[in-house]
Amino acid sequence: MRVNSTTNLRIACEYSYDYDKVYWKYIILKVNPDATDEDLLFTAKTIAALQTLPLHSIDRADSCDLTA
């Protein structure tokens, strides 16, 4: 059984380049675990549009404790 479910939405924006490396700044938000992928994608794109930095990636990270 799942307990203590949490979901983080991570938005990565490019902010610097060094030779062949790209550096990112992250916006990490704790969101409702019941949110759909489509809702989170829409939210992340909306937030990214408010930034001056170019969007690199959007990640969803779910975690929970499993008990017997």
Side-chain angles (χ1 to χ4, degrees), residues 1 6 11 17-18 26 32 47 57 67:
M1 176 179 9
T6 60
I11 304 167
Y17 302 94
D18 184 23
Y26 295 100
N32 185 345
I47 292 170
S57 66
T67 61

Side-chain angles (χ1 to χ4, degrees), residues 16-27:
S16 180
Y17 302 94
D18 184 23
Y19 298 103
D20 60 345
K21 281 186 158 184
V22 178
Y23 295 96
W24 304 283
K25 286 192 177 190
Y26 295 100
I27 301 168

Side-chain angles (χ1 to χ4, degrees), residues 1-7 33 62-68:
M1 176 179 9
R2 291 180 174 203
V3 294
N4 301 330
S5 294
T6 60
T7 299
D62 295 316
S63 67
C64 66
D65 295 330
L66 298 177
T67 61

Side-chain angles (χ1 to χ4, degrees), residues 1-67:
M1 176 179 9
R2 291 180 174 203
V3 294
N4 301 330
S5 294
T6 60
T7 299
N8 289 324
L9 179 63
R10 186 173 76 167
I11 304 167
C13 297
E14 299 175 4
Y15 83 96
S16 180
Y17 302 94
D18 184 23
Y19 298 103
D20 60 345
K21 281 186 158 184
V22 178
Y23 295 96
W24 304 283
K25 286 192 177 190
Y26 295 100
I27 301 168
I28 301 173
L29 305 169
K30 187 173 181 179
V31 296
N32 185 345
D34 297 330
T36 65
D37 292 341
E38 292 80 18
D39 290 339
L40 292 180
L41 183 61
F42 175 77
T43 302
K45 285 183 177 181
T46 303
I47 292 170
L50 299 172
Q51 303 297 312
T52 57
L53 302 173
L55 177 65
H56 179 264
S57 66
I58 300 168
D59 299 318
R60 176 184 181 151
D62 295 316
S63 67
C64 66
D65 295 330
L66 298 177
T67 61

